[in-house]
Amino acid sequence: MKVDVLLGLQWGDEGKGKVVDVLTPHYDVIARFQGGPNAGHSLEFNSIKHVLHLIPSGVFHENKLNLIGNGVVLDPIVFQKENAALMALGVDLRKNLVISKKAHLILPTHRFLDAASEAAKGTTKIGSTLRGIGPTYMDKTGRNGLRVGDILLSDFKDRYEFLKRKHLELLRQYSFDFNLEEAEKEWMQSIEKLREFNLVDSEYVINQALQSGKRILAEGAQGTLLDIDFGSYPYVTSSNTICAGACTGLGIAPRTIGEVYGIVKAYCTRVGSGPFPTELNDNTGEWLRNKGAEFGSTTGRPRRCGWLDLVALKYSIMINGVTSIILTKADVLTGLDKIKVCTHYRINGKITDQLPYDLSQPIEPVYEELPGWEQNICAVNDFADLPHNLKKYIQYIEDKTGVTIKIISVGPTREQIVLR
Ligand code: GDP
Ligand code: IMO
Ligand code: MG
């Protein structure tokens, strides 16, 4: 058996949560391998929309194991809130979730450092979700971090105090107000509750599952263009969001990777700062934002919108070794007369189809135009019933990328899906 990996090929929010929910019946284990509560994965069924931040998106299906891998950074407060919300819906995470002891803990002071650092950056701020992601991964690579498994050690409080003091020293460099007492109390209570969960050596759990023939889906967070190495640095997140991140974030060998599903929104969005060559600062951009309800699942911020960018997409496919594309939000494009797709960039008068080292320099997208469609596709389940021009759009993307589009999502709910 292999581990299939599902990840975003743009700047996040491609619809990963919804697609994981749709694919979960085909798997036994759903595993998150990186990121943390900066993620917001939405899925919708029975007229209720759920947004998950830390918990894998397979959680609403019975008899599936959900796994939070070592590559994830976990805020116990966010975890408890999600747990309480799921408990109210009858989902018991004590039974269907395991958490890696090697996942790193987000402390309240990590969140303060995130916010203080962003405030100090002024106009050059990353647009972080302020969930403490950057500072937590910094402590991980700096070898200062606290891990989930540490809460089982007798000197956990001392370790916490030591790291907290270090953070308070750092925070003195900023003029930034925070209320540690309150946050710390809630955090400590959440840590106590975390002890009730199944904290494991998840690399053994996943490899044993593989050996016993279980089907595993690794669920990525963020997107390839937010990857710490290959994204639009420094406007990125602090983890490897790419396929390789599934190996390091779960403890699985590269040769165990099977399908790599790349989730692609039919247009592009980005939330937070940083370059976005095909961004539309006009009525069409506004139209896409409203029609696609493009407001952040985690922070509620309006998402920046633009046309599909094939230069960036082909790069993401290359970096991840994508074996098939899942196209989401095709329904949002319904009603447009013409749809533009960026095939090349013009930089300093030169045309290229390669993503440049510096994405922040002036880049003029070169577009091709495709005809739109009027037909409402929200209830279509059969590929044959899709409008001719959407089929042409799909074929066009396949031709340009060399990758097959196997699934098309035509709305936010579980049922709104076209499998080819
Ligand atoms: P994720 O972070 O990749 O899981 O994506 P988000 O959940 O942050 O954002 C995707 C948004 O689009 C959510 O509000 C979903 O409910 C919604 N969505 C997902 N797929 C579709 C689709 O095919 N059509 C429409 N209209 N909405 C979708
Ligand atoms: P999902 O999993 C979209 C963006 C932030 C910011 C940058 C760094 O829902 O697709 P961070 O908090 O990680 O330090 O923020 O990354 N970002 C996301 N954008 N979707 C996400 O997750 C994101 N997670 C982080 O907006 O620009
Ligand atoms: Mg999201």
Side-chain angles (χ1 to χ4, degrees):
M1 276 294 169
K2 297 271 186 186
V3 178
D4 293 343
V5 182
L6 181 151
L7 40 75
L9 297 187
Q10 294 154 322
W11 279 285
D13 303 329
E14 296 90 349
K16 298 176 291 293
K18 180 216 155 140
V19 179
V20 170
D21 177 54
V22 167
L23 293 181
T24 295
H26 303 284
Y27 293 92
D28 303 300
V29 182
I30 310 296
R32 271 281 302 270
F33 57 88
Q34 46 68 235
N38 50 348
H41 294 181
S42 325
L43 46 105
E44 203 173 315
F45 57 91
N46 297 344
S47 308
I48 303 175
K49 180 170 178 165
H50 306 273
V51 183
L52 298 166
H53 302 286
L54 280 164
I55 312 296
S57 303
V59 77
F60 292 104
H61 295 261
E62 278 179 21
N63 303 320
K64 308 290 174 188
L65 180 67
N66 295 276
L67 185 150
I68 295 180
N70 56 279
V72 171
V73 288
L74 185 143
D75 184 332
I77 298 178
V78 178
F79 178 77
Q80 287 310 333
K81 285 193 180 138
E82 279 198 76
N83 172 47
L86 289 167
M87 196 62 120
L89 298 167
V91 178
D92 187 355
L93 294 179
R94 284 171 187 78
K95 294 199 181 119
N96 66 0
L97 176 81
V98 296
I99 305 171
S100 169
K101 286 198 235 171
K102 294 191 175 76
H104 276 246
L105 286 170
I106 301 178
L107 274 57
T109 39
H110 280 133
R111 275 192 284 120
F112 300 151
L113 282 166
D114 204 359
S117 151
E118 280 284 83
K121 278 190 170 141
T123 53
T124 60
K125 69 173 197 257
I126 309 293
S128 149
T129 61
L130 306 182
R131 297 300 187 266
I133 305 297
T136 307
Y137 279 115
M138 278 165 72
D139 271 338
K140 175 180 177 174
T141 52
R143 297 158 296 177
N144 295 312
L146 284 183
R147 299 185 292 174
V148 166
D150 292 348
I151 72 171
L152 306 173
L153 304 176
S154 57
D155 65 347
F156 172 66
K157 286 266 161 64
D158 296 339
R159 290 174 189 236
Y160 168 78
E161 288 297 328
F162 186 79
L163 185 56
K164 181 182 86 181
R165 272 202 301 277
K166 205 168 184 148
H167 290 165
L168 291 177
E169 280 296 315
L170 290 171
L171 280 161
R172 277 208 279 177
Q173 295 169 24
Y174 301 98
S175 57
F176 181 79
D177 289 333
F178 54 90
N179 182 345
L180 178 59
E181 216 175 300
E182 208 173 289
E184 193 170 52
K185 197 171 148 215
E186 195 183 4
W187 194 82
M188 283 299 176
Q189 286 166 351
S190 304
I191 288 286
E192 285 312 310
K193 289 202 190 129
L194 193 56
R195 294 180 205 279
E196 297 163 19
F197 288 82
N198 211 347
L199 313 180
V200 299
D201 293 312
S202 64
E203 60 275 34
Y204 278 110
V205 173
I206 199 158
N207 280 289
Q208 281 159 6
L210 255 178
Q211 270 167 16
S212 61
K214 296 271 195 288
R215 298 156 302 171
I216 300 169
L217 181 65
E219 172 180 1
Q222 290 79 56
T224 302
L225 304 174
L226 289 171
D227 180 84
I228 183 71
D229 283 283
F230 298 102
S232 45
Y233 195 88
Y235 299 98
V236 294
T237 190
S238 297
S239 65
N240 279 120
T241 61
I242 57 170
C243 185
C247 293
T248 55
L250 293 172
I252 49 171
R255 67 182 161 79
T256 63
I257 302 293
E259 287 277 338
V260 181
Y261 296 113
I263 313 292
V264 179
K265 203 178 275 192
Y267 48 98
C268 275
T269 62
R270 171 162 208 172
V271 60
S273 336
F276 181 179
T278 62
E279 181 170 14
L280 290 167
N281 290 307
D282 60 7
N283 288 341
T284 310
E286 190 63 30
W287 186 90
L288 285 170
R289 178 158 42 251
N290 290 324
K291 182 115 189 282
E294 296 295 356
F295 297 88
S297 309
T298 297
T299 57
R301 292 177 291 177
R303 294 176 184 147
R304 300 154 65 193
C305 297
W307 297 119
L308 186 69
D309 183 341
L310 287 175
V311 179
L313 182 58
K314 287 194 290 186
Y315 182 80
S316 295
I317 289 169
M318 172 181 83
I319 295 291
N320 291 299
V322 170
T323 57
S324 51
I325 291 176
I326 298 176
L327 188 73
T328 61
K329 303 195 95 159
D331 55 297
V332 176
L333 296 183
T334 300
L336 284 171
D337 186 33
K338 299 261 184 244
I339 298 165
K340 287 191 188 180
V341 179
C342 167
T343 58
H344 294 80
Y345 294 161
R346 187 177 286 116
I347 303 171
N348 280 330
K350 283 205 178 119
I351 302 268
T352 177
D353 72 344
Q354 291 201 358
L355 206 67
Y357 169 75
D358 178 12
L359 212 56
S360 294
Q361 66 188 306
I363 292 174
E364 189 198 328
V366 178
Y367 288 112
E368 281 185 10
E369 231 176 46
L370 283 87
W373 58 89
E374 287 293 334
Q375 186 194 323
N376 184 333
I377 56 169
C378 291
V380 173
N381 286 125
D382 228 324
F383 186 78
D385 296 336
L386 290 176
H388 175 71
N389 285 348
L390 172 53
K391 285 187 194 147
K392 271 172 75 169
Y393 189 62
I394 289 167
Q395 180 74 53
Y396 177 85
I397 297 169
E398 290 183 332
D399 289 347
K400 293 283 180 186
T401 59
V403 182
T404 310
I405 298 181
K406 281 206 182 139
I407 301 175
I408 300 114
S409 174
V410 292
T413 73
R414 243 180 215 174
E415 297 74 26
Q416 292 174 300
I417 203 89
V418 177
L419 309 173
R420 278 173 102 182

